[in-house]
């Protein structure tokens, strides 16, 4: 099929290696994200996500095809800053259950902002055409590019969130999805997977002794077989999403096993 665009209709949309729910999950797309559609096969479509051009298969009904010239969000938007934010049918947390619950980094189109009048609600249009209300404290209009100390502070908010293979949302990240998100908040779009990140021409190779907060650490049998990554926070520690011991986002020490034996690459990215 000719390449076209679509907007994601599920809060967190799994992307598969093949057009089958029995295949492995390779990544995820978030609600309201505009993706490129590259192929279609028996109720499935192949998409690539913005920023990293990562490819995967999704079920056809989980997106809405956009018309020529149509965008979402159109005009003014807000971005979810809570780890999970509820959108309600009307500006009340008690009258009805949430219309939908959305993860960190979801972008929504603003219809009306009542906060200037002292109301805490913002009315938004969802990508399926419905309107709803979200609380001002859950979103920000223009997410700023963070400095390294701010990124480290942000990373700590995710401690204890579950490790999820292929995950790239606050519902659960895998190791490279978590690092990719942190660096994205610093204004840089890293490749999606750990090995391509470490081999990316836009990161500098550094020695372990020269590590400083914000650097990236990579693990595996060798540089050519990297299978894990983390974000260095200083004092010999790094934060990462891992299945080791406890399958959650956690802070580990580089001097501890198995990390000291498996550390094969250190990289520095530039804002």
């Amino acid at each position: 099929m000719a390449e076209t665009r679509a907007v994601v209709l599920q809060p967190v949309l799994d992307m598969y290696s093949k057009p089958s729910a029995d295949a492995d999950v390779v990544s995820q797309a978030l609600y309201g994200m505009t993706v490129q559609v590259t192929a279609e096969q028996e109720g499935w479509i192949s998409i690539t996500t913005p920023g990293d051009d990562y490819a995967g298969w999704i079920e056809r009904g989980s997106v809405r095809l956009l018309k020529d010239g149509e965008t979402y969000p159109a005009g003014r938007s807000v971005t979810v800053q809570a780890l999970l934010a509820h959108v309600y049918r009307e500006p009340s947390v008690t009258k009805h259950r949430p219309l939908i619950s959305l993860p960190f980094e979801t972008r929504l189109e603003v219809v009306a902002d009542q906060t200037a009048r002292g109301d805490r609600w913002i009315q938004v249009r969802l990508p399926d055409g419905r309107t709803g209300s979200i609380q001002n404290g859950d979103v920000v209009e223009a997410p700023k590019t963070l400095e390294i100390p701010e990124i480290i502070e942000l990373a700590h908010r995710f401690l204890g969130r579950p490790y999820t293979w292929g995950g790239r949302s606050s519902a659960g990240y895998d190791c490279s999805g978590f690092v990719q998100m942190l660096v994205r908040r610093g204004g840089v779009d890293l490749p999606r997977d750990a090995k391509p990140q470490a081999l990316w021409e836009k990161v500098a190779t550094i020695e372990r002794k020269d590590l400083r907060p914000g650097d990236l650490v990579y693990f595996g049998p060798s540089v050519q077989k990297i299978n894990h990554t983390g974000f260095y926070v200083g004092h010999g520690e790094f934060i990462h999403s891992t299945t080791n011991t406890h399958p959650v986002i956690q802070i580990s020490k580089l001097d501890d096993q198995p990390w000291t034996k498996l550390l094969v690459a250190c990289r520095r990215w530039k804002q």
Side-chain angles (χ1 to χ4, degrees):
M1 64 180 295
E3 185 172 285
T4 187
R5 298 172 303 117
V7 61
V8 175
L9 301 179
Q10 292 186 5
V12 180
L13 177 60
D14 287 334
M15 299 165 56
Y16 297 89
S17 63
K18 300 175 183 178
S20 169
D22 290 329
D24 56 310
V25 176
V26 294
S27 191
Q28 294 173 331
L30 300 186
Y31 190 76
M33 181 180 285
T34 296
V35 297
Q36 294 291 328
V37 180
T38 57
E40 186 168 2
Q41 179 178 322
E42 298 178 351
W44 289 79
I45 57 177
S46 176
I47 65 166
T48 59
T49 48
D52 55 17
D53 293 323
Y54 205 82
W57 288 89
I58 62 170
E59 294 184 83
R60 173 64 181 80
S62 57
V63 296
R64 177 176 67 82
L65 296 182
L66 293 171
K67 300 175 183 177
D68 288 344
E70 183 184 4
T71 60
Y72 183 89
R76 185 179 166 205
S77 67
V78 290
T79 301
V80 172
Q81 292 298 284
L83 299 191
L84 186 70
H86 298 316
V87 178
Y88 294 89
R89 187 189 315 177
E90 56 185 297
S92 169
V93 299
T94 59
K95 290 184 178 180
H96 307 282
R97 66 182 179 88
L99 283 175
I100 195 167
S101 300
L102 300 173
F104 178 73
E105 289 194 304
T106 301
R107 291 181 64 209
L108 296 166
E109 180 180 316
V110 174
V111 176
D113 184 354
Q114 306 299 322
T115 59
R117 304 189 317 192
D119 193 331
R120 71 177 189 267
W121 294 93
I122 296 174
Q123 188 180 33
V124 294
R125 182 175 72 88
L126 303 179
D128 60 7
R130 294 178 297 171
T131 59
S133 294
I134 193 168
Q135 295 184 84
N136 182 57
D138 281 337
V139 296
V140 62
E141 183 164 355
K144 69 173 185 174
T145 299
L146 303 181
E147 300 297 328
I148 297 299
E150 295 172 308
I151 296 174
I152 293 173
E153 182 179 356
L154 170 68
H156 281 75
R157 292 177 55 195
F158 296 88
L159 287 171
R161 304 299 289 183
Y163 175 91
T164 303
W165 176 260
R168 56 165 297 182
S169 84
S170 52
Y173 291 92
D174 64 14
C175 64
S176 56
F178 183 57
V179 165
Q180 185 192 44
M181 179 274 291
L182 294 176
V183 175
R184 180 168 58 246
R185 296 310 300 269
V188 174
D189 285 324
L190 277 181
R192 173 66 178 87
D193 294 333
K195 180 181 173 181
Q197 288 177 6
L199 300 179
W200 195 37
E201 68 274 9
K202 295 183 181 180
V203 295
T205 298
I206 58 173
E207 298 298 322
R208 175 174 174 173
K209 62 182 177 61
D210 297 321
L211 280 170
R212 66 189 188 198
D215 289 338
L216 310 178
V217 287
Y218 293 91
F219 306 86
S222 69
V223 174
Q224 295 304 320
K225 296 182 179 180
I226 285 171
N227 55 28
H228 189 63
T229 182
F231 193 91
Y232 188 69
V233 297
H235 306 291
E237 296 181 331
F238 65 103
I239 189 168
H240 59 145
S241 186
T242 177
T243 59
N244 186 61
T245 309
H246 303 292
V248 297
I249 293 175
Q250 58 188 272
I251 293 175
S252 299
K253 296 181 181 295
L254 284 177
D255 285 339
D256 288 348
Q257 296 293 357
W259 311 117
T260 191
K261 182 176 73 172
L262 294 175
L263 180 65
V264 293
C266 303
R267 301 289 187 260
R268 181 166 298 154
W269 55 282
K270 297 181 180 179
Q271 288 184 286

